[in-house]
Amino acid sequence: MAKPTNLLNAAEAFPLWDDEPIDDAFTLSESNDNLDHAVVTTVSRPWLFGFPSGTASNGRAILVLGGGGYVELMVGREGIAVAKWLSTLGFHAFVLVHRFPNTLSSPQAPLDDARRALNIIQEKGFAAQGLGVCGLSSGGHLAASLLAAYPSSWTSPASSVDVPKIDFAIIGYAPISTNAKGRTIVPDKAPLVPPEKQELYDTLQPDVQLRDDVPPTFIVYAGSDPVVPVVNAYRLAEGLGKKGAQVELHVFAEAPHGFALDTVELPVSAWTGLCEAWMRQRGILG
């Protein structure tokens, strides 16, 4: 039987919905010896992995949501690496390995898993001074969805459970609503596959579904992104602004999609420093 923390070299690991062992819960494309670019390719049972503060704790926790287009999960570059960066700032960071929207689960599975993860973090006392979310790419769409109302057309055990108060959000290069039918930028864009993924994007359009209690949000995109049009950044910023949230938006002229933390020798590599400065200004880092 595998030790849960060994899979991602985490300090803690929690199953989301059951007490089953972690064996066969999900599939990693990389070995434990090389997690920098590890990718989760299948998920049958979601898990949450904790990375405690590597310095003096600020008493806050943050949920990290990596990208992968909801068909895989970049758990290394956009999960573990991000969590380790945030842990150096005093956060107790948590990486979520969530289910994908497909025939094996449901369109709402990622949202249900993320909502459950937030509740686990709070229930276990990791967020005494506050709770944040950080999502990149499809993980950014999921993070923004946590700031939105749960769709009334979906029913599940998670739909009747409130999420804890989210005190701040960090969202990067996320397809907020341009994948939704009727809101695409590319003319005659073909439906996404599998159909459950398209339903997720059609149903969850966070920029027009935000709750009234949206938190301060840091947004970072690339204007040249060939995968996620930068209009997503403007839509999200406008939606947050209409709800009265304080927004910091950075659009770098040129950077690849998925720039994460390891795109060096380009101006976009400065985004983490800008984010840290924003958190200090907001009093999140003390």
Side-chain angles (χ1 to χ4, degrees), residues 54-66:
T55 181
S57 173
N58 60 29
R60 296 178 173 87
I62 186 164
L63 177 63
V64 177
L65 303 166

mmCIF file with all atom_site columns, all heavy atoms in Angstrom, residues 54-66:
data_model
loop_
_atom_site.group_PDB
_atom_site.id
_atom_site.type_symbol
_atom_site.label_atom_id
_atom_site.label_alt_id
_atom_site.label_comp_id
_atom_site.label_asym_id
_atom_site.label_entity_id
_atom_site.label_seq_id
_atom_site.pdbx_PDB_ins_code
_atom_site.Cartn_x
_atom_site.Cartn_y
_atom_site.Cartn_z
_atom_site.occupancy
_atom_site.B_iso_or_equiv
_atom_site.pdbx_formal_charge
_atom_site.auth_seq_id
_atom_site.auth_comp_id
_atom_site.auth_asym_id
_atom_site.auth_atom_id
_atom_site.pdbx_PDB_model_num
ATOM 1  N N   . GLY A 1 54 ? 7.482  27.126 4.576   1.00 0.00 ? 54 GLY A N   1
ATOM 2  C CA  . GLY A 1 54 ? 8.911  26.875 4.677   1.00 0.00 ? 54 GLY A CA  1
ATOM 3  C C   . GLY A 1 54 ? 9.623  27.938 5.482   1.00 0.00 ? 54 GLY A C   1
ATOM 4  O O   . GLY A 1 54 ? 10.827 27.890 5.656   1.00 0.00 ? 54 GLY A O   1
ATOM 5  N N   . THR A 1 55 ? 8.891  28.907 5.971   1.00 0.00 ? 55 THR A N   1
ATOM 6  C CA  . THR A 1 55 ? 9.443  29.982 6.796   1.00 0.00 ? 55 THR A CA  1
ATOM 7  C C   . THR A 1 55 ? 8.421  30.267 7.889   1.00 0.00 ? 55 THR A C   1
ATOM 8  O O   . THR A 1 55 ? 7.542  29.448 8.137   1.00 0.00 ? 55 THR A O   1
ATOM 9  C CB  . THR A 1 55 ? 9.721  31.231 5.930   1.00 0.00 ? 55 THR A CB  1
ATOM 10 O OG1 . THR A 1 55 ? 10.286 32.248 6.740   1.00 0.00 ? 55 THR A OG1 1
ATOM 11 C CG2 . THR A 1 55 ? 8.443  31.734 5.262   1.00 0.00 ? 55 THR A CG2 1
ATOM 12 N N   . ALA A 1 56 ? 8.509  31.400 8.518   1.00 0.00 ? 56 ALA A N   1
ATOM 13 C CA  . ALA A 1 56 ? 7.547  31.739 9.565   1.00 0.00 ? 56 ALA A CA  1
ATOM 14 C C   . ALA A 1 56 ? 6.140  31.773 8.982   1.00 0.00 ? 56 ALA A C   1
ATOM 15 O O   . ALA A 1 56 ? 5.876  32.473 8.008   1.00 0.00 ? 56 ALA A O   1
ATOM 16 C CB  . ALA A 1 56 ? 7.906  33.089 10.178  1.00 0.00 ? 56 ALA A CB  1
ATOM 17 N N   . SER A 1 57 ? 5.256  31.021 9.569   1.00 0.00 ? 57 SER A N   1
ATOM 18 C CA  . SER A 1 57 ? 3.891  30.931 9.057   1.00 0.00 ? 57 SER A CA  1
ATOM 19 C C   . SER A 1 57 ? 3.151  32.253 9.211   1.00 0.00 ? 57 SER A C   1
ATOM 20 O O   . SER A 1 57 ? 3.292  32.944 10.216  1.00 0.00 ? 57 SER A O   1
ATOM 21 C CB  . SER A 1 57 ? 3.130  29.830 9.794   1.00 0.00 ? 57 SER A CB  1
ATOM 22 O OG  . SER A 1 57 ? 1.763  29.834 9.430   1.00 0.00 ? 57 SER A OG  1
ATOM 23 N N   . ASN A 1 58 ? 2.356  32.598 8.189   1.00 0.00 ? 58 ASN A N   1
ATOM 24 C CA  . ASN A 1 58 ? 1.512  33.780 8.306   1.00 0.00 ? 58 ASN A CA  1
ATOM 25 C C   . ASN A 1 58 ? 0.095  33.415 8.749   1.00 0.00 ? 58 ASN A C   1
ATOM 26 O O   . ASN A 1 58 ? -0.782 34.281 8.811   1.00 0.00 ? 58 ASN A O   1
ATOM 27 C CB  . ASN A 1 58 ? 1.479  34.560 6.980   1.00 0.00 ? 58 ASN A CB  1
ATOM 28 C CG  . ASN A 1 58 ? 0.938  33.739 5.817   1.00 0.00 ? 58 ASN A CG  1
ATOM 29 O OD1 . ASN A 1 58 ? 0.120  32.838 5.985   1.00 0.00 ? 58 ASN A OD1 1
ATOM 30 N ND2 . ASN A 1 58 ? 1.383  34.063 4.606   1.00 0.00 ? 58 ASN A ND2 1
ATOM 31 N N   . GLY A 1 59 ? -0.127 32.134 9.052   1.00 0.00 ? 59 GLY A N   1
ATOM 32 C CA  . GLY A 1 59 ? -1.420 31.684 9.541   1.00 0.00 ? 59 GLY A CA  1
ATOM 33 C C   . GLY A 1 59 ? -2.472 31.506 8.469   1.00 0.00 ? 59 GLY A C   1
ATOM 34 O O   . GLY A 1 59 ? -3.625 31.190 8.768   1.00 0.00 ? 59 GLY A O   1
ATOM 35 N N   . ARG A 1 60 ? -2.076 31.697 7.197   1.00 0.00 ? 60 ARG A N   1
ATOM 36 C CA  . ARG A 1 60 ? -3.017 31.595 6.092   1.00 0.00 ? 60 ARG A CA  1
ATOM 37 C C   . ARG A 1 60 ? -2.744 30.355 5.258   1.00 0.00 ? 60 ARG A C   1
ATOM 38 O O   . ARG A 1 60 ? -1.613 29.895 5.146   1.00 0.00 ? 60 ARG A O   1
ATOM 39 C CB  . ARG A 1 60 ? -2.952 32.843 5.207   1.00 0.00 ? 60 ARG A CB  1
ATOM 40 C CG  . ARG A 1 60 ? -3.381 34.115 5.922   1.00 0.00 ? 60 ARG A CG  1
ATOM 41 C CD  . ARG A 1 60 ? -3.239 35.330 5.003   1.00 0.00 ? 60 ARG A CD  1
ATOM 42 N NE  . ARG A 1 60 ? -3.805 36.522 5.625   1.00 0.00 ? 60 ARG A NE  1
ATOM 43 C CZ  . ARG A 1 60 ? -3.143 37.328 6.434   1.00 0.00 ? 60 ARG A CZ  1
ATOM 44 N NH1 . ARG A 1 60 ? -1.876 37.065 6.728   1.00 0.00 ? 60 ARG A NH1 1
ATOM 45 N NH2 . ARG A 1 60 ? -3.733 38.386 6.957   1.00 0.00 ? 60 ARG A NH2 1
ATOM 46 N N   . ALA A 1 61 ? -3.811 29.845 4.654   1.00 0.00 ? 61 ALA A N   1
ATOM 47 C CA  . ALA A 1 61 ? -3.700 28.702 3.754   1.00 0.00 ? 61 ALA A CA  1
ATOM 48 C C   . ALA A 1 61 ? -4.132 29.124 2.361   1.00 0.00 ? 61 ALA A C   1
ATOM 49 O O   . ALA A 1 61 ? -4.869 30.101 2.189   1.00 0.00 ? 61 ALA A O   1
ATOM 50 C CB  . ALA A 1 61 ? -4.561 27.548 4.249   1.00 0.00 ? 61 ALA A CB  1
ATOM 51 N N   . ILE A 1 62 ? -3.672 28.379 1.364   1.00 0.00 ? 62 ILE A N   1
ATOM 52 C CA  . ILE A 1 62 ? -4.034 28.687 -0.013  1.00 0.00 ? 62 ILE A CA  1
ATOM 53 C C   . ILE A 1 62 ? -4.191 27.392 -0.805  1.00 0.00 ? 62 ILE A C   1
ATOM 54 O O   . ILE A 1 62 ? -3.383 26.465 -0.663  1.00 0.00 ? 62 ILE A O   1
ATOM 55 C CB  . ILE A 1 62 ? -2.995 29.622 -0.667  1.00 0.00 ? 62 ILE A CB  1
ATOM 56 C CG1 . ILE A 1 62 ? -3.455 30.069 -2.052  1.00 0.00 ? 62 ILE A CG1 1
ATOM 57 C CG2 . ILE A 1 62 ? -1.615 29.004 -0.707  1.00 0.00 ? 62 ILE A CG2 1
ATOM 58 C CD1 . ILE A 1 62 ? -2.680 31.266 -2.587  1.00 0.00 ? 62 ILE A CD1 1
ATOM 59 N N   . LEU A 1 63 ? -5.251 27.318 -1.584  1.00 0.00 ? 63 LEU A N   1
ATOM 60 C CA  . LEU A 1 63 ? -5.524 26.154 -2.426  1.00 0.00 ? 63 LEU A CA  1
ATOM 61 C C   . LEU A 1 63 ? -4.969 26.423 -3.812  1.00 0.00 ? 63 LEU A C   1
ATOM 62 O O   . LEU A 1 63 ? -5.335 27.415 -4.456  1.00 0.00 ? 63 LEU A O   1
ATOM 63 C CB  . LEU A 1 63 ? -7.028 25.895 -2.501  1.00 0.00 ? 63 LEU A CB  1
ATOM 64 C CG  . LEU A 1 63 ? -7.472 24.740 -3.410  1.00 0.00 ? 63 LEU A CG  1
ATOM 65 C CD1 . LEU A 1 63 ? -6.928 23.405 -2.909  1.00 0.00 ? 63 LEU A CD1 1
ATOM 66 C CD2 . LEU A 1 63 ? -8.991 24.699 -3.531  1.00 0.00 ? 63 LEU A CD2 1
ATOM 67 N N   . VAL A 1 64 ? -4.097 25.547 -4.287  1.00 0.00 ? 64 VAL A N   1
ATOM 68 C CA  . VAL A 1 64 ? -3.442 25.690 -5.592  1.00 0.00 ? 64 VAL A CA  1
ATOM 69 C C   . VAL A 1 64 ? -4.109 24.753 -6.591  1.00 0.00 ? 64 VAL A C   1
ATOM 70 O O   . VAL A 1 64 ? -4.215 23.542 -6.358  1.00 0.00 ? 64 VAL A O   1
ATOM 71 C CB  . VAL A 1 64 ? -1.940 25.388 -5.487  1.00 0.00 ? 64 VAL A CB  1
ATOM 72 C CG1 . VAL A 1 64 ? -1.277 25.478 -6.859  1.00 0.00 ? 64 VAL A CG1 1
ATOM 73 C CG2 . VAL A 1 64 ? -1.264 26.353 -4.502  1.00 0.00 ? 64 VAL A CG2 1
ATOM 74 N N   . LEU A 1 65 ? -4.529 25.330 -7.723  1.00 0.00 ? 65 LEU A N   1
ATOM 75 C CA  . LEU A 1 65 ? -5.243 24.581 -8.756  1.00 0.00 ? 65 LEU A CA  1
ATOM 76 C C   . LEU A 1 65 ? -4.472 24.698 -10.065 1.00 0.00 ? 65 LEU A C   1
ATOM 77 O O   . LEU A 1 65 ? -4.413 25.766 -10.673 1.00 0.00 ? 65 LEU A O   1
ATOM 78 C CB  . LEU A 1 65 ? -6.664 25.132 -8.911  1.00 0.00 ? 65 LEU A CB  1
ATOM 79 C CG  . LEU A 1 65 ? -7.506 25.124 -7.629  1.00 0.00 ? 65 LEU A CG  1
ATOM 80 C CD1 . LEU A 1 65 ? -8.742 25.992 -7.791  1.00 0.00 ? 65 LEU A CD1 1
ATOM 81 C CD2 . LEU A 1 65 ? -7.892 23.690 -7.261  1.00 0.00 ? 65 LEU A CD2 1
ATOM 82 N N   . GLY A 1 66 ? -3.861 23.604 -10.481 1.00 0.00 ? 66 GLY A N   1
ATOM 83 C CA  . GLY A 1 66 ? -3.088 23.603 -11.719 1.00 0.00 ? 66 GLY A CA  1
ATOM 84 C C   . GLY A 1 66 ? -3.966 23.459 -12.947 1.00 0.00 ? 66 GLY A C   1
ATOM 85 O O   . GLY A 1 66 ? -5.158 23.154 -12.866 1.00 0.00 ? 66 GLY A O   1
#
